[in-house]
Amino acid sequence: MKIINGTIAAPAGFYADGFHSGLKRKRKDIGWIYSKYPAQAAGVFTTNAVQAAPIQVTKGALASDTIQAIVVNSGNANACTGKNGILHAQEMQRLAAEKLSIPTDAVAVASTGVIGQELPMGKIKKGILGLYKTEGTPQSFHEAILTTDTRTKEIVVEGTIGGTKVTMAGVAKGSGMIHPNMATMLAFITTDAVIEKSLLQEALKKVTDRTFNQITVDGDTSTNDMVLLLANGAAGHSVLQKETADYDEFTMMLSVVMEELAKMIAQDGEGATKLIEANVIHGKDQLTARMIAKKIVGSSLVKTAMFGADPNWGRIICAIGYADPSINPEKVNISIGGLPVLLNSQPQSFEEMKMREILVQDKIVITVDLQEGTGKGTAWGCDLTYKYVEINALYHT
């Protein structure tokens, strides 16, 4: 398997486009992904009890046999908009299906942006009519889904399954209100692999738990967001079977795509200047290790310390303690950027200049050894800056 250049339309049979419809002042704000062939589809959605209209409509679409398109708008979340919100999401679905000449229930819908405002359907219609299933403009899609993001997030990998070349691509948006089980993020993954729907859903859920569900920016869980995975079978190999080398290759490709997108989202947190990675090893079990890692990167005190280049390991061990009160507090090892600051819960002296060099980097790795078992987990977050407050204080305006 290798990472290659390309876009979300890189797998065989996929197309993508983006358009500026006027939902946002300048940037593209509506886009779609289209598969020439009906695709098996899997999805993971926000756990927020308040779920936006596009989430509800897309869940209905996934209950059908296959999906052939995803239509997405930014600039307006179509959340908390009542019955009209559902009608508008369904109209997006219908307009895209009509333009593509496919069944209405073969279209998934996603929205992101300001909550509580109805979609301006005149602009939505204009946008969908301006989209095309061409090979020349797939790069426009990853621009059309952005909100406060400062950069696009995309990755393409290539592997071999059953002696056949298989391609998988991923694209995401996400910058604030990031605290999945899912959060304010949209991620779309395409592949030409051949796999049944139930196994596709199982693979997506399993990999989501250790990738997207391990990122946090600010601890807020949103109303809109989702991960959708489409597999159109255009590669033509034999149907993937669980517990085979080919299935392992598929899940490895999926893990790389989703982990890289997760890190891109964490690093692009609103106002962020640094990516924080927490690795917990020798925990009681995998779930506990993942939970502790996420508590570390989610701690406002840890995040502000990293912003200020302050090696305050006390904030780290504090987060470990409230994440799992049953840990042995006498056996914790902590290092920052590979430099030990705590061994068997005893403070370690370190060179301040060397630590300073570590903490001013744009990626900081915190490693925690609990010395309790074989569990390990990783989580990603970002520092908490003055800019984050500014962005969110002015978001609606």
Side-chain angles (χ1 to χ4, degrees):
M1 187 203 65
K2 60 182 179 180
I3 296 174
I4 63 172
N5 292 326
T7 70
I8 192 63
F14 282 98
Y15 305 89
D17 196 12
F19 187 81
H20 178 239
S21 70
L23 290 167
K24 294 190 296 194
R25 284 177 298 198
K26 294 182 180 180
R27 295 197 296 183
K28 292 180 174 64
D29 49 29
I30 193 162
W32 67 17
I33 300 168
Y34 167 72
S35 173
K36 181 179 178 181
Y37 313 102
Q40 300 299 318
V44 181
F45 303 92
T46 180
T47 56
N48 195 314
V50 179
Q51 299 198 347
I55 294 278
Q56 298 176 55
V57 170
T58 293
K59 284 182 175 180
L62 288 182
S64 64
D65 288 338
T66 55
I67 296 291
Q68 267 190 270
I70 306 168
V71 59
V72 188
N73 76 272
S74 59
N76 185 311
N78 191 14
C80 303
T81 45
K83 292 181 180 178
N84 281 346
I86 297 292
L87 293 174
H88 291 161
Q90 290 172 335
E91 181 67 0
M92 283 181 67
Q93 188 183 40
R94 186 193 66 79
L95 288 167
E98 190 174 273
K99 179 78 184 284
L100 292 166
S101 300
I102 60 176
T104 301
D105 61 5
V107 179
V109 182
S111 299
T112 182
V114 179
I115 293 171
Q117 296 181 354
E118 290 194 0
L119 281 176
M121 292 310 293
K123 292 179 180 179
I124 292 291
K125 183 174 182 179
K126 172 188 172 184
I128 291 174
L129 291 176
L131 295 170
Y132 293 92
K133 49 182 180 182
T134 62
E135 296 181 346
T137 57
Q139 69 279 4
S140 299
F141 178 82
H142 67 206
E143 300 169 3
I145 64 176
L146 305 181
T147 51
T148 55
D149 306 67
T150 65
R151 68 199 78 167
T152 58
K153 303 164 182 70
E154 198 159 31
I155 181 172
V156 182
V157 299
E158 187 180 281
T160 302
I161 293 177
T164 303
K165 183 184 79 172
V166 170
T167 306
M168 184 181 292
V171 62
K173 65 83 48 184
S175 190
M177 286 181 76
I178 298 294
H179 188 68
N181 300 314
M182 304 305 296
T184 297
M185 56 158 287
L186 300 176
F188 308 105
I189 302 165
T190 58
T191 181
D192 45 23
V194 188
I195 183 171
E196 292 181 350
K197 185 173 183 175
S198 60
L199 191 54
L200 190 70
Q201 181 67 45
E202 182 180 330
L204 178 64
K205 178 64 171 68
K206 184 176 181 180
V207 178
T208 296
D209 284 343
R210 62 174 185 260
T211 57
F212 290 134
N213 281 352
Q214 287 298 106
I215 60 176
T216 183
V217 169
D218 50 21
D220 281 336
T221 300
S222 183
T223 56
N224 278 59
D225 297 331
M226 65 178 77
V227 177
L228 294 178
L229 168 57
L230 303 186
N232 70 6
H237 57 78
S238 299
V239 179
L240 283 169
Q241 302 295 321
K242 195 174 181 180
E243 298 180 356
T244 62
D246 284 340
Y247 180 69
D248 289 345
E249 175 73 2
F250 177 84
T251 56
M252 183 181 296
M253 292 171 68
L254 187 59
S255 294
V256 169
V257 167
M258 293 175 68
E259 182 174 317
E260 289 304 310
L261 289 176
K263 289 191 285 188
M264 291 177 200
I265 290 170
Q267 191 160 22
D268 193 30
E270 288 172 341
T273 64
K274 301 170 184 177
L275 172 67
I276 305 171
E277 178 177 298
N279 295 306
V280 175
I281 60 175
H282 299 129
K284 286 183 296 187
D285 51 56
Q286 301 287 97
L287 182 60
T288 301
R290 289 205 304 262
M291 178 183 67
I292 292 173
K294 193 170 179 181
K295 286 292 185 182
I296 293 169
V297 298
S299 163
S300 294
L301 292 177
V302 172
K303 290 155 71 67
T304 51
M306 296 303 100
F307 172 61
D310 178 8
N312 191 337
W313 55 263
R315 296 180 175 184
I316 300 171
I317 198 166
C318 179
I320 295 168
Y322 64 68
D324 182 12
S326 71
I327 64 161
N328 185 338
E330 305 299 323
K331 295 175 61 177
V332 179
N333 297 339
I334 299 175
S335 65
I336 301 174
L339 196 62
V341 295
L342 200 70
L343 289 178
N344 291 316
S345 298
Q346 296 298 309
Q348 302 297 299
S349 60
F350 52 82
E351 295 181 28
E352 290 188 11
M353 187 63 69
K354 190 171 182 179
M355 179 61 78
R356 177 72 183 177
E357 291 174 358
I358 291 169
L359 292 177
V360 296
Q361 300 298 313
D362 57 11
K363 179 180 179 182
I364 299 170
V365 178
I366 298 168
T367 303
V368 174
D369 186 348
L370 298 176
Q371 304 190 74
E372 290 185 323
T374 59
K376 59 181 180 180
T378 300
W380 302 274
C382 62
D383 55 346
L384 185 58
T385 69
Y386 305 122
K387 190 68 176 177
Y388 174 84
V389 177
E390 179 185 340
I391 290 169
N392 283 281
L394 302 174
Y395 185 80
H396 192 271
T397 56

